[in-house]
Amino acid sequence: MLRKIWDLFIGFTRASNLGFGGGPSLIPLVKAEAVDRYHWVDNEEFADSLAIGNALPGPIATKMAAYIGYKVAGWMGALAAIIGTIAPTIIVVVLLGSLIVKYSDSPELQAMLKAVRPVVVVLVAETAYDMGKKAFPSSSTWGIAVITVALLYFLNIHPAFIIVASMLFGWAVYGRTKK
Amino acid sequence: MLSQLWDLLIAFGRASNLGFGGGPAVIPLIKIEVVERYHWMTNSEFTDALAVGNALPGPIATKLAGYVGYQEAGWLGALVANIGVILPTALAVILLARVLMKYSNSPVLKGMLKGVRPVVVVLIAQTALDMGIGSFPNLITWGIALATVVSVFWLKLHPALIILVSMGFGLLVFR
C-alpha cells in the first residue's frame, strides 16, 4: 500500500513538473504514467476520468489526480497524487517568485517555451488519437462526435453541458441493451 | 489574519468552482477576485504572477493560488488558497468515481460512458487545436512538431524525454 502511495506521488510529480502550458498540457504526461507505465487504469478508464473531470469545474490536473489516486489507493492515494501534482511547483513559485518575475521575459526561457509548445500540441493530439481508438465502436458514436463538434464550434455550447447530455443520450440509447 | 485566510479560501474556492474547462479557464475568475474584489494585487502585479506561473510547469490555477496566498498570508495562505482551488472539485470527482466503480458493470453506466467517450475525444482534440494557435510561428516549430510525431508514434519515446530534448533544442536554436 505504501509502495502504491509512493508511486502515485512520484508519478504525478513527474507528470506535473514536465507539463508546460497549464493543466491540459499534463494530460498526455499523466496518461504516460497512469496507463503506460504503472497500469493504474486502462485507456478507457483514463477517458472516463477525463469525462468526469471535464464535467466539473476547476483545474483538470488535480481532478485526474484525485480520480486515479482514489482508484488505486483510496483517500490516501488521492491525497498523494494531488500533492505530487501541486506541491513541487507551488514551493518553487513561492520561494523563487520574485526571481522568476525578473527572468520570465528572459530570451533563454522564452526560447525553451517556444520549442516545447509544438511538442505539447502533438502530445495532446496523440492523446486524443489514443482515446479515439476505442471510443468509436459504432456509427452512432461517430454521430455523437460530429454533433459535439457542431455544438462546440457553431453554437458555442459549454463542454460540461455536452458531457452531461451525451451521458443521458448514452443511458437512453446504449444503456437499455443487456450485455 | 484569520479573516484573511477565510477570504483566500472563499475567493479561490469561488473562482475554481465557477471555472469550467480546466485551470486556464479559472485564470480570469481568479483575476476578478484578486485584483477587483479583494485588491490583493494590482493589475500589473497579477500579470507578473501569471508570467511566473506560465514559466513553470504544472497546473496554473494552483500556482496562482500559491503565489497570491503566500503574499497575503505566508505558507498558511498558500495552503488555504490551494485548498479552495482543489478540495471541492476533488471531493466531487472522488464521489463520482466511487459511483463509477460500484456500478461499473451496470448496463446503464456502461451506456453513459459509451455516449460520453466520443465527446471526450473531441474535447481533447479541441484542446490540442487551441494550444496549437500561436504555437507554430515559423517553419522550425513545424519541424519540431514533425519530429515529435515520429518520436511518439514510431520510436515510442516517453513524452518527458521529448519535452526535455525540445527545450534544450530551443535554448540552442531560438535564443
Side-chain angles (χ1 to χ4, degrees), chain A residues 54 151-152 155-163, chain B residues 18-21 25 123:
Chain A
N54 274 313
L151 293 176
L152 276 178
L155 300 173
N156 286 315
I157 306 282
H158 201 285
F161 287 110
I162 305 176
I163 286 180
Chain B
L18 293 171
F20 285 88
L123 288 178

Side-chain angles (χ1 to χ4, degrees), chain A residues 137-145 169 173-174, chain B residues 114 118:
Chain A
S138 60
S139 56
S140 60
T141 49
W142 279 106
I144 295 175
F169 176 84
V173 176
Y174 309 126
Chain B
K114 190 177 168 189

Side-chain angles (χ1 to χ4, degrees), chain B residues 7-8 11-12 14-15 26-43 45-47 49 61 64-69 71-72 81:
Chain B
D7 286 348
L8 283 166
F12 279 94
R14 189 162 42 205
V26 178
I27 294 171
L29 300 172
I30 292 179
K31 190 177 170 214
I32 291 173
E33 302 288 342
V34 170
V35 178
E36 287 159 35
R37 191 191 293 260
Y38 291 102
H39 307 289
W40 286 321
M41 286 181 165
T42 63
N43 222 331
E45 280 169 333
F46 187 80
T47 307
L64 284 175
Y67 190 86
V68 176
Q71 291 215 336
E72 283 314 302

Side-chain angles (χ1 to χ4, degrees), chain B residues 45-168:
Chain B
E45 280 169 333
F46 187 80
T47 307
D48 281 349
L50 200 55
V52 172
N54 283 326
L56 293 168
I60 184 79
T62 55
K63 279 179 288 184
L64 284 175
Y67 190 86
V68 176
Y70 181 80
Q71 291 215 336
E72 283 314 302
W75 286 106
L76 209 55
L79 183 68
V80 165
N82 266 293
I83 288 175
V85 171
I86 298 162
L87 192 64
T89 54
L91 283 179
V93 162
I94 288 173
L95 291 178
L96 286 172
R98 288 172 76 137
V99 173
L100 215 65
M101 282 178 239
K102 196 168 169 192
Y103 298 103
S104 61
N105 282 320
S106 92
V108 167
L109 194 64
K110 277 189 177 159
M112 289 170 90
L113 292 173
K114 190 177 168 189
V116 79
R117 280 187 194 126
V119 177
V120 173
V121 173
V122 172
L123 288 178
I124 304 177
Q126 188 208 19
T127 304
L129 219 64
D130 280 355
M131 288 180 148
I133 298 168
S135 293
F136 301 98
N138 57 32
L139 268 178
I140 300 174
T141 48
W142 282 106
I144 295 174
L146 202 65
T148 307
V149 170
V150 172
S151 315
V152 168
F153 284 94
W154 281 281
L155 306 176
K156 310 267 184 217
L157 295 180
H158 193 281
L161 184 67
I162 308 173
I163 287 171
L164 291 174
V165 169
S166 76
M167 292 179 92

